Amino acid sequence: MNCLYSVNDIEQQYQGRSVLRVAQMCIETGEVLAFVGPSGAGKSTLLRLLALLETPTRGALTLSLDGVTYPSHSVPIDVQRQIAMVFQRPALLSRTVRANVAAGLRFRGERDTHARVDEALARVALTHLADAYPRTLSGGEMQRVAIARALVLQPRILLLDEPTANLDPYNVGIIESLIADQRQRFNTTVVLVTHNIFQAKRLADRVALFYEGELVEVAPKARFFEASENPRTRAFTSGQLVY
């Protein structure tokens, strides 16, 4: 097993309150892993830890790339730049769509960005809105801009927090196709938080269930949905686990 991320006995607390506890977890290179479970179960907290936006209160989280393993609190900036995260509510600059997509590249000092930005816009079907401003976009279009802004950086790890929440079927289809294409073409490791179990079925290789701040089970998709021996997983997949 090639663990890109290794989680060992971590806990995350906010103001003394424990919100996440995970004894052990391996996120494999090149997989699509879906985090499911009720709101407040710890899914987004773990995603932020994976994005290196926070460090765990206790325990060890490590990232392994190119044969080198780094503790989460001391990952070099060039390795951090292999990670891109897209939030549920994207924060866009008050600039054109094109400028938003190019922003990350320019922050890194890259100047010849036109071709890469054009390709990213084409992938999210927003070429026709390149000169539009965020205030004129729908929620789905704004989310696609945020995803293009992440993908133009050519990340090896893509973290998505509810990327299709409250979007119409058209935008859901575009984003799901993009996720699948990104993994297939570039072997990008994708971790997504979703409340949509059908989305997890469509996209994920493995599914992890979180409940009340704990990791209940992580398993290959078929076993998770069809043959889990864990009663809480069975309750969740049958709709009996009340949110």
Side-chain angles (χ1 to χ4, degrees):
M1 184 182 298
N2 184 5
C3 293
L4 177 66
Y5 287 100
S6 294
V7 175
N8 291 285
D9 197 27
I10 68 166
E11 180 179 17
Q12 188 68 338
Q13 298 179 359
Y14 298 133
Q15 298 180 334
R17 182 173 67 91
S18 179
V19 298
L20 177 69
R21 300 165 299 280
V22 179
Q24 191 169 34
M25 183 183 224
C26 168
I27 298 176
E28 301 175 23
T29 300
E31 76 170 329
V32 177
L33 175 62
F35 291 171
V36 300
S39 297
K43 306 181 301 296
S44 294
T45 297
L46 181 53
L47 204 68
R48 289 193 297 272
L49 292 174
L50 299 178
L52 308 177
L53 299 176
E54 302 176 13
T55 56
T57 304
R58 69 173 181 87
L61 170 64
T62 61
L63 171 64
S64 298
L65 276 177
D66 301 324
V68 182
T69 298
Y70 308 92
S72 62
H73 59 80
S74 60
V75 178
I77 187 64
D78 61 316
V79 177
Q80 293 181 39
R81 285 177 170 173
Q82 303 300 315
I83 305 169
M85 181 167 176
V86 178
F87 296 90
Q88 180 178 347
R89 295 177 179 84
L92 301 182
L93 303 171
S94 298
R95 300 177 184 175
T96 65
V97 166
R98 178 183 297 281
N100 269 276
V101 175
L105 293 173
R106 294 197 174 276
F107 289 154
R108 295 182 181 185
E110 299 188 35
R111 293 292 177 260
D112 187 15
T113 64
H114 194 82
R116 287 172 64 178
V117 170
D118 281 350
E119 180 186 8
L121 288 172
R123 291 187 68 194
V124 298
L126 287 179
T127 301
H128 64 296
L129 293 176
D131 296 320
Y133 285 81
R135 64 179 179 274
T136 69
L137 303 179
S138 69
E141 289 164 347
M142 291 178 67
Q143 188 68 302
R144 282 151 56 194
V145 173
I147 291 175
R149 184 172 59 186
L151 294 184
V152 78
L153 300 174
Q154 300 176 344
R156 295 167 67 178
I157 303 165
L158 180 62
L159 308 174
L160 304 168
D161 194 356
E162 293 283 0
T164 61
N166 304 315
L167 299 187
D168 61 88
Y170 172 75
N171 279 291
V172 171
I174 289 177
I175 291 172
E176 288 189 358
S177 296
L178 188 62
I179 293 168
D181 178 69
Q182 182 69 18
R183 184 278 192 85
Q184 183 176 7
R185 288 175 58 189
F186 302 104
N187 197 38
T188 305
T189 303
V190 180
V191 182
L192 73 149
V193 170
T194 180
H195 279 97
N196 187 334
I197 63 171
F198 300 105
Q199 183 171 78
K201 284 183 177 181
R202 289 191 292 268
L203 293 176
D205 301 301
R206 293 194 302 154
V207 182
L209 172 64
F210 292 83
Y211 188 66
E212 295 183 341
E214 295 185 354
L215 174 62
V216 174
E217 179 178 9
V218 57
K221 175 171 57 180
R223 190 173 81 209
F224 183 92
F225 286 107
E226 300 168 14
S228 174
E229 296 180 358
N230 188 296
R232 285 188 292 181
T233 301
R234 293 199 304 272
F236 175 80
T237 56
S238 66
Q240 297 175 29
L241 184 62
V242 179
Y243 279 37

